[in-house]
């Protein structure tokens, strides 16, 4: 090999981030995990089912953060099962809505996991209570990594469920990870849109966004000076008299025995105050139209968040040969939080039918 060929090889390797010396060596992913302390007693906001087996599991994402999850498996099930990973709402933990969805779907024949996202709940990652559109999307794919390599799972039959803000993240994950064969976005938020534009797009202007950026920049300076990030505050303990209905609905869930959990950010101090920074410029739904696999968007007719689901559905494209695999289901009279835990409102029969169809 002449010197020109050698230099070309070295330059190409550097551009790819590969050492010419070690490129030929076998690379091993050791999946080193943080040591997590997991609660063993049942501490969910919903009763334990006698139809499923429950266990705690952990797995690591592509950024080296160890995630904690509750696994639910149909009692007595044998053979390889279709599987579903569940997360959400945004600022919640797996002991709340995600666990309820996961346990219910396990009762219906699926192996499921409900996981805490990075920096949250029993999962690892520092600083705590941080969010990231990239890392949180990766959390879903890391859950898929865990499921497709699980000996009890059929690797070709894996889906995901995202609730509230994690509904938008589920759509984003489906756009980037074709191993996800079916996606349910329940009572979804587009976190990029709400952070950039405010509720109902009321602050959709460069002037409003720049004012927000100024406040967030000042806060991160203060956080660095103090050596610790400030929390943004969860759902208030006492609502003002003029609080909108959706805030009263959040309070009724997160601040009462119905949904309160000591590890839930929404129930307590909230997310890091600078959490909106990356979402403002992140085009979360930019590739939604390229999803070829099945997507179901589920929303309550009376939900304040309805426009997120409706507009996202419009972005989904018909896939040739799969003309009916994009669905939008509206629940008459239901609010945003009704789809968190109202068993008589969440259409689990239709959800089961959707996953049975597209994970077959």
């Amino acid at each position: 090999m002449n010197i020109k060929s050698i230099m070309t090889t070295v330059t190409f390797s550097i551009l790819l981030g590969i050492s010419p010396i070690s490129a030929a060596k076998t690379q091993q992913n050791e999946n080193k995990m943080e040591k997590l302390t997991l609660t063993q007693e049942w501490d969910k906001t919903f009763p334990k089912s006698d139809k499923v087996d429950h266990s705690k599991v952990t797995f690591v994402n592509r950024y080296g953060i160890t995630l904690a999850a509750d696994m639910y498996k149909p009692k007595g099930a044998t053979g390889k099962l279709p599987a579903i990973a569940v997360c959400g709402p945004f600022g919640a933990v797996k002991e709340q809505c995600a666990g309820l969805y996961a346990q219910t779907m396990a009762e219906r024949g699926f192996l499921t996991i409900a996981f805490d996202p990075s920096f949250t709940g029993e999962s690892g990652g520092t600083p705590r209570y941080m969010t990231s559109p990239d890392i949180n999307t990766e959390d879903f794919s890391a859950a898929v990594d865990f499921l497709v390599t699980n000996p009890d799972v059929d690797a070709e039959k894996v889906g995901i469920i995202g609730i509230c803000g994690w509904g938008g993240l589920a759509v984003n994950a489906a756009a980037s990870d074709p191993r996800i064969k079916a996606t349910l976005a329940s009572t979804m938020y587009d976190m990029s849109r709400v952070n950039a534009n405010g509720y109902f797009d009321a602050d959709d202007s460069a002037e409003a966004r720049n004012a927000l950026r100024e406040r967030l920049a000042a806060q991160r300076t203060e956080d660095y000076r103090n050596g610790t990030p400030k929390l943004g505050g969860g759902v208030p303990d006492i609502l003002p008299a003029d609080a909108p209905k959706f805030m009263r609905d959040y309070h009724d869930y997160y601040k009462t025995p119905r949904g309160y959990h000591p590890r839930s950010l929404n129930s307590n101090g909230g997310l890091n105050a600078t959490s909106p920074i990356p979402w403002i410029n992140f085009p979360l739904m930019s590739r939604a139209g390229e999803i070829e696999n099945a997507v179901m968007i589920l929303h309550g007719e009376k939900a304040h968040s309805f426009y997120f689901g409706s507009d996202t559905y419009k972005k989904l494209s018909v896939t040739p040969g799969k003309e009916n695999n994009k669905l939008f289901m509206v629940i008459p009279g239901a609010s945003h939080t009704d789809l968190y835990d109202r068993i008589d409102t969440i259409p689990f029969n239709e959800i089961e039918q959707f996953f049975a169809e597209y994970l077959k």
Side-chain angles (χ1 to χ4, degrees), residues 198-211:
Y199 277 107
F200 312 112
D201 299 324
D203 297 317
D204 184 12
S205 69
E207 181 181 12
R209 278 186 287 275
N210 282 331

Side-chain angles (χ1 to χ4, degrees), residues 190-341:
D190 177 341
M191 295 304 298
S192 292
R193 182 175 178 179
V194 74
N195 278 292
N197 300 348
Y199 277 107
F200 312 112
D201 299 324
D203 297 317
D204 184 12
S205 69
E207 181 181 12
R209 278 186 287 275
N210 282 331
L212 174 59
R213 291 180 179 116
E214 290 283 354
R215 293 194 297 273
L216 292 169
Q219 184 60 57
R220 70 179 295 161
T221 300
E222 191 67 20
D223 287 350
Y224 193 86
R225 181 177 290 118
N226 293 334
T228 184
K230 177 184 177 182
L231 296 181
V235 177
D237 290 331
I238 301 175
L239 291 174
D242 60 348
K245 182 183 182 302
F246 73 88
M247 283 303 300
R248 297 198 302 273
D249 289 344
Y250 281 140
H251 188 277
D252 184 54
Y253 180 77
Y254 287 109
K255 289 294 187 176
T256 71
R258 171 186 167 195
Y260 177 84
H261 195 277
R263 288 193 295 273
S264 171
L265 310 187
N266 292 339
S267 292
N268 297 284
L271 296 163
N272 190 304
T274 57
S275 288
I277 290 174
W279 300 92
I280 294 171
N281 293 353
F282 191 89
L284 195 63
M285 297 299 160
S286 63
R287 303 298 181 200
E290 298 177 10
I291 301 172
E292 294 184 343
N293 290 328
V295 179
M296 177 179 182
I297 295 177
L298 177 66
H299 242 109
E301 177 193 19
K302 301 297 185 182
H304 69 283
S305 54
F306 185 89
Y307 68 106
F308 293 127
S310 176
D311 288 354
T312 298
Y313 177 70
K314 294 171 187 174
K315 294 177 183 291
L316 301 176
S317 298
V318 173
T319 304
K322 301 178 180 179
E323 284 75 10
N324 298 316
N325 75 345
K326 305 298 189 298
L327 310 172
F328 185 38
M329 184 174 183
V330 179
I331 309 304
S335 71
H336 180 83
T337 56
D338 284 340
L339 298 186
Y340 280 10
D341 65 335

Side-chain angles (χ1 to χ4, degrees), residues 54-106:
H54 165 263
S55 60
K56 289 291 187 83
V57 298
T58 57
F59 52 94
V60 65
N61 72 13
R62 194 164 54 88
Y63 293 98
I65 299 170
T66 301
L67 304 182
D70 287 297
M71 178 184 286
Y72 300 90
K73 184 178 179 182
K75 194 174 289 292
T78 59
K80 292 184 177 293
L81 301 173
I84 303 170
V86 190
C87 196
F90 207 74
V93 288
K94 65 187 181 302
E95 289 76 17
Q96 296 173 304
C97 313
L100 175 64
Y101 273 70
Q103 179 176 262
T104 304
M105 294 307 292

Side-chain angles (χ1 to χ4, degrees), residues 11 14 44 48 80 147 179 181 183 216 227 233 243 268 300 311 329 349 351 358:
T11 301
I14 291 172
K44 323 301 182 196
K48 188 175 184 179
K80 292 184 177 293
L147 290 174
R179 298 174 302 170
K181 304 304 183 185
T183 299
L216 292 169
N268 297 284
D311 288 354
M329 184 174 183
N349 287 339
I351 294 172
Y358 294 106

